[in-house]
Amino acid sequence: MRHIVIREMKESDIPHVVEIENISFSTPWSSHSFLREIYKPYSISMVALIGDRILGYICAEMIIDEAHILNLAVHPDFRRMGVGSLLVSRLLEEVERKGCRYIYLEVRTSNLAAKRLYERFNFKVVGVRRHYYVHPDEDALIMMLELSH
Ligand code: ACO
């Protein structure tokens, strides 16, 4: 595969990001949600590209020494090629550099692809949020990684 670039998400990326969002989730974020993320002071939003084609994105927020992954998706045509892993790995570097010690996320209990991806980075299941998701109703697994300093 040609060289994948990871960079900060820009306002002009949002229409392409929303296209991926809409095919990836049953309750997708709106353009406005992404817009809010990119201008929030303690947030990180990044996209993965080949040339000017957006392949995927990740959004996270930071509160003191904790980061929280809020969103991650890769276009179906580019899944299983390491794009999701590259986004997670770049995010981990960034939040660690900014002083975070812990990183959390929620994932649907049935989402084996995402769960496996995060397990490969040593995230562990630390709890369950009952009925966290709608369409369909489902529990969330809370996963956490302690970052080394
Ligand atoms: N089935 C089983 N394991 C999988 C799958 C799958 N379909 N997809 C990824 N994995 C695991 C594998 O261990 C894989 O390694 P391997 O290919 O060497 O076996 C590893 O994850 C890394 O895969 P990547 O290629 O880096 O992941 P990809 O670029 O395909 O992105 C993602 C994974 C983001 C979960 C993608 O499937 C996607 O966009 N899904 C829909 C949206 C989604 O569920 N996002 C996560 C929500 S949770 C959250 O945001 C906190």
Side-chain angles (χ1 to χ4, degrees):
M1 188 138 88
R2 281 163 60 205
H3 188 56
I4 300 173
V5 171
I6 309 282
R7 63 152 170 77
E8 230 175 88
M9 190 185 292
K10 300 189 285 198
E11 210 171 315
S12 57
D13 298 328
I14 292 178
H16 308 284
V17 164
V18 167
E19 258 176 56
I20 301 175
E21 176 78 6
N22 285 338
I23 42 182
S24 299
F25 296 105
S26 58
T27 53
W29 282 17
S30 63
S31 305
H32 183 73
S33 313
F34 286 102
L35 195 60
R36 208 176 41 220
E37 278 317 300
I38 63 179
Y39 291 114
K40 242 168 45 182
Y42 300 103
S43 289
I44 301 177
S45 299
M46 297 188 295
V47 289
L49 309 103
I50 290 182
D52 55 9
R53 170 95 199 248
I54 294 181
L55 314 179
Y57 52 88
I58 193 163
C59 301
E61 64 182 0
M62 291 170 290
I63 302 166
I64 313 175
D65 63 349
E66 280 184 22
H68 195 146
I69 301 181
L70 302 173
N71 204 341
L72 165 70
V74 173
H75 190 287
D77 293 349
F78 296 93
R79 288 184 189 161
R80 240 31 216 276
M81 295 178 185
V83 178
S85 301
L86 199 58
L87 283 161
V88 171
S89 134
R90 199 57 66 78
L91 179 81
L92 294 180
E93 280 171 26
E94 192 63 16
V95 298
E96 198 164 358
R97 198 176 62 76
K98 291 190 166 161
C100 287
R101 291 203 53 202
Y102 306 94
I103 180 155
Y104 288 87
L105 60 93
E106 281 90 18
V107 58
R108 280 185 184 269
T109 49
S110 64
N111 192 346
L112 278 188
K115 193 166 166 263
R116 289 217 179 117
L117 183 157
Y118 288 121
E119 279 168 349
R120 282 173 49 143
F121 284 90
N122 264 335
F123 278 81
K124 307 277 184 237
V125 175
V126 293
V128 176
R129 293 193 207 282
R130 299 276 170 218
H131 307 290
Y132 183 76
Y133 295 104
V134 293
H135 306 302
D137 171 287
E138 194 173 347
D139 296 344
L141 299 175
I142 306 168
M143 298 184 83
M144 191 269 277
L145 172 70
E146 186 169 353
L147 298 161
S148 51
H149 274 282

